[in-house]
Amino acid sequence: MKTCIAREAALAALKEYNTESFHIQHALTVEGVMRWYAAELGYGEDADFWATVGLLHDIDFEMWPDEHCLKAPELLEKAGCDDDFIHAVCSHGYGLCCDVEPRHEMEKVLFAADELTGLIGAAARMRPSKSCMDMEVSSLKKKFKDKKFAAGCSRDVIRQGAEMLGWELEKLMDLTIQAMRSCEESVNAAVAAL
């Protein structure tokens, strides 16, 4: 079983370097998505580790966007995270802003799902329900093909992540929508309470 810092300490570390609700919402979403994936893929005993990596994956992004995944090790070490944890966090920037390669399945999931949660979130906001609860993969695929929609979400990174996992793009989309459904309500409540 992998160990990580307590959630309260992780949340405090996140909020020390992130004040914008958008960034906090993204962190909470990826936390919930990673917890769901841990259970779904048979890593339930490590769900806290997966979730906490998700929560802190962008710890340095708001204040140091040009040093993303380069400043993170220092901040995570200060928060009490170990080398495995730091590697996992930094690996989601592989080939984009650092050379830390995703090795474990969890790191590959983070790499693939991180970018995709942004696209799903943007697509959800366009729906009458403002939710991913009623989102179908077919409608997400249309948004994915529209390069102007959520242009900041890299389709190449999402495709690369699916390939890394050995999954079809459709499988990654379907599972990540399910993962976001699992935490949508709690994330919305947490963001409303900020």
Side-chain angles (χ1 to χ4, degrees), residues 29 33 117 119-125 127 129-137 139-140 174 176-185 188:
T29 298
V33 163
T117 62
L119 186 68
I120 294 170
R125 285 189 291 279
R127 300 176 71 76
S129 64
K130 305 276 187 239
S131 168
C132 63
M133 291 300 186
D134 57 356
M135 185 183 293
E136 298 297 328
V137 173
S139 71
L140 182 61
D174 179 42
T176 307
I177 289 171
Q178 290 181 53
M180 284 183 68
R181 285 177 185 158
S182 77
C183 62
E184 184 177 86
E185 199 177 315
N188 288 346

Side-chain angles (χ1 to χ4, degrees), residues 149-165:
F149 179 78
C153 296
S154 169
R155 275 56 168 180
D156 290 341
V157 168
I158 295 167
R159 274 193 212 93
Q160 189 184 345
E163 283 168 24
M164 222 183 256
L165 286 160

Side-chain angles (χ1 to χ4, degrees), residues 13-27 56-69 71 75 194:
L14 176 75
K15 289 181 175 177
E16 185 175 345
Y17 308 108
N18 291 269
T19 57
E20 291 180 28
S21 63
F22 174 82
H23 289 136
I24 294 171
Q25 180 174 12
H26 176 64
L56 294 179
H57 78 286
D58 279 347
I59 189 169
D60 60 359
F61 187 73
E62 185 178 314
M63 291 177 81
W64 298 277
D66 297 336
E67 294 177 68
H68 185 38
C69 294
K71 184 77 174 169
L75 307 180
L194 288 176

Side-chain angles (χ1 to χ4, degrees), residues 23-192:
H23 289 136
I24 294 171
Q25 180 174 12
H26 176 64
L28 294 170
T29 298
V30 177
E31 173 191 32
V33 163
M34 292 300 289
R35 180 175 298 285
W36 183 90
Y37 265 114
E40 181 70 14
L41 299 176
Y43 297 94
E45 74 282 358
D46 288 329
D48 288 343
F49 184 85
W50 284 49
T52 308
V53 167
L55 183 67
L56 294 179
H57 78 286
D58 279 347
I59 189 169
D60 60 359
F61 187 73
E62 185 178 314
M63 291 177 81
W64 298 277
D66 297 336
E67 294 177 68
H68 185 38
C69 294
L70 303 175
K71 184 77 174 169
E74 174 193 331
L75 307 180
L76 293 168
E77 205 173 287
K78 184 180 162 199
C81 300
D82 66 16
D83 289 345
D84 282 348
F85 189 97
I86 292 168
H87 184 279
V89 164
C90 294
S91 72
H92 85 280
Y94 180 64
L96 306 166
C97 54
C98 73
D99 58 3
V100 179
E101 191 170 355
R103 296 185 301 239
H104 186 279
E105 189 170 18
M106 181 269 287
E107 295 170 344
K108 294 172 184 178
V109 167
L110 177 64
F111 182 93
D114 172 35
E115 199 75 7
L116 186 51
T117 62
L119 186 68
I120 294 170
R125 285 189 291 279
M126 300 300 290
R127 300 176 71 76
S129 64
K130 305 276 187 239
S131 168
C132 63
M133 291 300 186
D134 57 356
M135 185 183 293
E136 298 297 328
V137 173
S138 56
S139 71
L140 182 61
K141 280 167 79 175
K142 284 182 194 142
K143 298 291 189 194
F144 184 86
K145 288 175 184 162
D146 178 358
K147 304 251 187 296
K148 290 188 181 105
F149 179 78
C153 296
S154 169
R155 275 56 168 180
D156 290 341
V157 168
I158 295 167
R159 274 193 212 93
Q160 189 184 345
E163 283 168 24
M164 222 183 256
L165 286 160
W167 296 355
E168 294 294 323
L169 185 59
E170 201 161 302
K171 176 180 177 177
L172 176 64
M173 288 178 168
D174 179 42
L175 291 178
T176 307
I177 289 171
Q178 290 181 53
M180 284 183 68
R181 285 177 185 158
S182 77
C183 62
E184 184 177 86
E185 199 177 315
S186 61
V187 168
N188 288 346
V191 171

